Amino acid sequence: MINKLVKKIQKTNAPVVVGLDPMLSYVPKHILDKAFAEYGETLEGAAEAIWQYNKGIVDATYDLIPAVKPQIAMYEQFGIPGLQAFQKTVQYCKEKDLVIIGDVKRGDIGSTSAAYATGHLGKIQVGSNTYSLFDEDFATVNPYLGTDGVKPFVDVCKEEKKGLFILVKTSNPSSGEFQDRLIDGRPLYEWVGEQVDRWGSEHMGDQYSYIGAVVGATYPEMGKILRDIMPKSYILVPGYGAQGGTAEGLRPYFNEDGLGAIVNSSRGIICAYKQEQYAQFGEENYADASRQAVIDMIEDINSIF
């Protein structure tokens, strides 16, 4: 799957991923009204509104981008109907030939990690039948339980030719409370990056490993160090735009070939219609605002090369 991601980035000339992280407050009134008229002000109504909102954004942007990244917590908060909306979103994005990065941040040990990996990336056997469940192409994984927590994911990825993005240095302000702690004179995130590189060396695609890393856009100097530590790992970069990351600050995350990183924007794309610069589109045309925001983001990021 890493080969497909790289090829789609090259084809679209767009090293970007749209984060499908919907909140009910993001959904335009006409979509909410229609969903509530059909299902009432219920969890099912909320899930329907979110699904229709996502569909509009995907329809408006799928030809511009290589990938999407749905954040599962935004769906889980609506219970089983929310998870059904997550599944519908993943399936619809597959129909549009997008690469799906399931932002699930799972991480446990042994059989528990194996179950998470099966649910999101693998297949489950039920009697004589085999089922793919959420069936994302990549999943985000928390490595802080060590190899016990990551190996079951890697094993499933090898079977299914799918991939991981492992948390190394996250974009949130308090990430340094643990990730920047010095161990033998070096910050913890460097040790994690080295381990990601080792895991990745055992599961290579044509140019890059199936085992990537998450490194926040808000720490470009650390990104430069980690790019050197993990030369064959694709880096998923959150924090662009709304969290303060800039295009110029992204340069260190990429290799000289212009590949090696994919930059996420969530609110900046899916809530574009609420921003002053896209206000002319109006709420009814929220998806058109998202499309223009994607075009502007691609242009901004490509300006650094």
Side-chain angles (χ1 to χ4, degrees), residues 61-271:
T61 61
Y62 76 92
D63 61 317
L64 300 174
I65 58 175
V68 292
K69 184 179 71 65
Q71 184 7 284
I72 198 167
M74 300 306 182
Y75 304 84
E76 286 179 339
Q77 65 184 329
F78 298 108
I80 299 303
L83 286 175
Q84 291 171 333
F86 179 86
Q87 188 171 42
K88 280 184 184 178
T89 297
V90 170
Q91 289 172 344
Y92 191 68
C93 290
K94 279 186 174 290
E95 291 172 15
K96 297 296 186 181
D97 198 36
L98 291 165
V99 173
I100 295 99
I101 301 170
D103 194 356
V104 298
K105 295 186 178 71
R106 298 300 195 238
D108 212 300
I109 56 174
S111 59
T112 309
S113 250
Y116 280 138
T118 296
H120 287 282
L121 301 171
K123 296 181 176 71
I124 188 75
Q125 190 78 27
V126 181
S128 59
N129 298 317
T130 303
Y131 298 93
S132 294
L133 302 172
F134 291 118
D135 199 24
E136 301 104 299
D137 301 309
F138 290 82
T140 56
V141 173
N142 188 327
Y144 286 93
L145 278 77
T147 299
D148 290 347
V150 175
K151 187 178 183 299
F153 284 94
V154 175
D155 290 344
V156 169
C157 286
K158 287 180 177 178
E159 291 172 14
E160 303 293 335
K161 291 185 168 53
K162 294 189 175 183
L164 305 176
F165 285 103
I166 296 176
L167 305 183
V168 175
K169 176 58 183 172
T170 57
S171 59
N172 56 301
S174 65
S175 66
E177 290 177 0
F178 300 118
Q179 296 168 23
D180 297 0
R181 291 282 180 172
L182 298 182
I183 301 172
D184 294 338
R186 299 172 63 204
L188 177 58
Y189 63 79
E190 289 189 21
W191 292 100
V192 177
E194 287 184 352
Q195 186 62 54
V196 168
D197 185 64
R198 282 193 286 272
W199 287 324
S201 68
E202 299 173 3
H203 189 28
M204 287 294 300
D206 293 341
Q207 298 171 267
Y208 287 92
S209 171
Y210 282 74
I211 311 303
V214 177
V215 181
T218 44
Y219 304 105
E221 288 304 313
M222 298 173 187
K224 183 175 187 299
I225 292 166
L226 289 165
R227 175 75 284 166
D228 291 339
I229 289 173
M230 305 177 294
K232 294 298 183 181
S233 290
Y234 237 81
I235 296 178
L236 171 62
V237 189
Y240 170 85
Q243 293 186 50
T246 65
E248 187 57 36
L250 295 171
R251 191 186 299 273
Y253 298 79
F254 290 88
N255 285 317
E256 291 182 4
D257 59 5
L259 298 170
I262 185 165
V263 183
N264 177 74
S265 179
S266 298
R267 282 171 291 166
I269 302 298
I270 67 175
C271 284

Side-chain angles (χ1 to χ4, degrees), residues 32-42 44-45 48 52:
L32 278 173
D33 287 348
K34 184 175 180 182
F36 288 164
E38 186 172 357
Y39 295 96
E41 293 183 351
T42 62
E44 289 77 12
E48 173 66 11
Q52 293 297 338

